[in-house]
């Protein structure tokens, strides 16, 4: 019996994806690949004495985070949720997925819900899908590394693989891009490009193939903005490899690609583990 | 292009298991559960200039480690392999599985073999099964945490789940127990007890259920030795939880269970990540 528990969930930048809606949210999701980051979200669940309205704080500010409430509802508990992150919001780092998954792990401990890791990952995945805030971050964040999502859906439905490397990653953000707006639009062209990129990476599961397939996807999916295009080109001109974070006006690069090109970029490492309790 | 690479693979203590032979080694293995340890094995692969006989060193001594040679053969490379560990050998910590998996990950980087994480895990799993040195350590060590092996076999065949906790683990070893001798004998009673233990843990995926199911398994499988029985009882008398490592004359306990009972035990943490390149 404990009054609070904290989980760390790595950030996740998707390089390419295809969207796979389904009637059952547990089976819905995306296929694709990305990198999980040692920069992530610390989520703490506090037991509350009286039955209260659930409250969610991020970096000390009250926030609307529908997936978090859905996770607590699915576990049948009320709690105060506080989270801390150095990652930008709404910029393609999977912060909402991290909040959902961290909530599931930490609430399971505080309230002794007795769920398994796959069950908690599935709860968080379903909450994201139902909220329209993400399709593949949660399963990637539960795994860590450089995850390849071979199938859509929660554990038990979606198989994962990974690129066996642990690069340093730099990133720079120019602003938000609404996941909900993109996913609620026509995703046919985007998904065709994502399937193509995945086939490439499965044939050759290396970092350089991941970056190449991601850049090609960003171009074909029609999501590039001018400043993103320009930044990717600048990194390439400086001899590095960069692409766009899906979905955000964010560029990520391997190694010191962005700082070599003169950008003031944040730097972190690929996260080796998935989400974990502290 | 690099001349050497190092991978860290966590130790793995199995609490209970059932053996599942199969004609195809990729489908053979065990079901069961265990804990991965922050104490593990560092495996370094060195490129050798001339075509040489493969050599394997552990803590500075030449060792016979058939799974390592099988992994190198499967990747079609020759290399010098050196490894370091603080774990006891032949005592149920999955050192041979760690050597096989670390070799696969590090050799893939040095020789740019272009395999995915699942492919490398499968290679190491097959090498262990063919060598008769283990059935389930490799897939658990690739995952980290407190892995539940729901199915036997390599990735793509065996599904995994986990207990969402990160306990401190203590251990003490009284000597070796040959995995090959146990696995080549009659495993029917052992496997029936293992299936029973797994069903319990799947119904209630908590640490205390894991420890309870493991103790019950150790008794029913008929593998307990006197000093192991006595130690488990001493930990229990001191208010702790302990069981026997499969397969070794080793007792592991949660938290400070062994030192509370007066034993001079090694202590580490559950490892959150699976095997990773350094």
């Amino acid at each position: 019996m404990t009054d609070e528990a904290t989980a760390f969930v790595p950030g996740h930048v998707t390089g390419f994806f295809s969207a796979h809606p389904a009637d059952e949210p547990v089976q819905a999701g995306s296929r694709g690949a990305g990198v999980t980051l040692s920069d992530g979200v610390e989520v703490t669940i506090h037991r509350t004495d009286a039955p209260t309205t659930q409250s969610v704080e991020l970096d000390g500010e009250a926030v609307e985070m529908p997936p978090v409430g859905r996770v607590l509802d699915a576990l049948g508990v009320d709690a105060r949720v506080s989270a801390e992150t150095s990652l930008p919001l709404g910029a393609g780092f999977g912060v909402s997925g991290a909040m959902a998954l961290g909530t599931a792990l930490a609430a399971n401990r505080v309230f002794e819900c007795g769920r398994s890791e796959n069950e908690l990952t599935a709860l968080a995945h379903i909450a994201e899908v139902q909220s329209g805030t993400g399709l593949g971050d949660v399963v990637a964040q539960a795994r860590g590394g450089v995850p390849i999502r071979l199938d859509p859906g929660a554990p038990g439905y979606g198989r994962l693989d990974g690129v066996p490397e642990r690069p340093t990653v730099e990133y720079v953000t120019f602003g938000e891009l609404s996941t909900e707006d993109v996913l609620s639009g026509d995703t046919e062209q985007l998904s065709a490009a994502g399937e193509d990129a995945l086939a490439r990476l499965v044939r050759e599961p290396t970092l350089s193939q991941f970056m190449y397939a991601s850049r090609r996807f960003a171009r074909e999916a029609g999501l590039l903005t001018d400043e993103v295009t320009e930044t990717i080109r600048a990194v390439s001109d400086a001899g590095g490899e960069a692409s766009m974070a899906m979905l955000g006006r964010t560029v990520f690069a391997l190694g010191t690609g962005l700082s070599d090109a003169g950008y003031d970029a944040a730097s972190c490492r690929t996260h080796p583990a998935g989400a974990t309790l502290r």
Side-chain angles (χ1 to χ4, degrees), chain A residues 127-140:
Chain A
E128 270 263 278
V129 169
Q130 287 180 331
S131 306
T133 45
L135 289 175
D137 287 325
V138 168
V139 295

Side-chain angles (χ1 to χ4, degrees), chain A residues 6-80:
Chain A
T6 300
F8 174 81
V9 185
H12 178 244
V13 169
T14 290
F16 61 81
F17 71 102
S18 54
H20 299 269
D23 288 342
E24 292 296 324
V26 71
Q27 296 179 36
S30 58
R31 307 173 74 200
V35 287
T36 61
L37 305 178
S38 56
D39 287 354
V41 185
E42 291 260 357
V43 183
T44 301
I45 295 291
H46 312 262
R47 185 190 294 279
T48 48
D49 276 340
T52 53
T53 315
Q54 294 165 359
S55 74
V56 184
E57 270 183 18
L58 181 59
D59 294 329
E61 310 261 325
V63 289
E64 290 290 317
M65 196 65 81
V68 169
R70 284 194 156 96
V71 166
L72 294 174
D73 290 348
L75 289 172
V77 300
D78 282 320
R80 188 161 71 76

Side-chain angles (χ1 to χ4, degrees), chain A residues 36-246:
Chain A
T36 61
L37 305 178
S38 56
D39 287 354
V41 185
E42 291 260 357
V43 183
T44 301
I45 295 291
H46 312 262
R47 185 190 294 279
T48 48
D49 276 340
T52 53
T53 315
Q54 294 165 359
S55 74
V56 184
E57 270 183 18
L58 181 59
D59 294 329
E61 310 261 325
V63 289
E64 290 290 317
M65 196 65 81
V68 169
R70 284 194 156 96
V71 166
L72 294 174
D73 290 348
L75 289 172
V77 300
D78 282 320
R80 188 161 71 76
V81 181
S82 62
E84 304 278 337
T85 187
S86 62
L87 293 171
L89 303 187
F93 291 96
V95 172
S96 64
M99 297 275 295
L101 183 53
T103 297
L105 282 164
N108 181 70
R109 176 182 275 178
V110 169
F111 298 100
E112 296 178 358
C113 303
R115 308 293 180 104
S116 73
E117 287 186 343
N118 287 356
E119 288 167 342
L120 296 171
T121 304
L123 279 184
H125 173 78
I126 290 168
E128 270 263 278
V129 169
Q130 287 180 331
S131 306
T133 45
L135 289 175
D137 287 325
V138 168
V139 295
Q141 287 165 324
R143 184 186 187 285
V146 183
I148 306 173
R149 286 168 280 125
L150 298 171
D151 308 304
Y157 296 94
R159 289 169 308 141
L160 294 167
D161 198 348
V163 177
E165 288 291 349
R166 287 189 59 199
T168 299
V169 177
E170 285 189 341
Y171 56 88
V172 65
T173 292
F174 303 104
E176 301 190 12
L177 189 67
S178 166
T179 299
E180 282 154 287
D181 287 355
V182 173
L183 295 184
S184 63
D186 180 2
T187 56
E188 201 174 321
Q189 187 186 345
L190 175 158
S191 286
E195 292 286 348
D196 195 48
L198 183 60
R200 274 172 199 284
L201 184 62
V202 167
R203 272 199 303 273
E204 191 191 320
T206 63
L207 279 182
S208 68
Q209 188 61 252
F210 166 66
M211 295 305 290
Y212 172 78
S214 295
R215 276 195 302 275
R216 211 179 138 110
F217 170 82
R219 209 164 54 229
E220 290 175 0
L223 293 168
L224 289 168
T225 59
D226 287 348
E227 81 264 71
V228 166
T229 305
E230 190 184 308
T231 308
I232 293 172
R233 187 171 304 137
V235 172
S236 173
D237 288 349
E241 297 239 45
S243 191
M244 176 181 172
M246 301 296 156

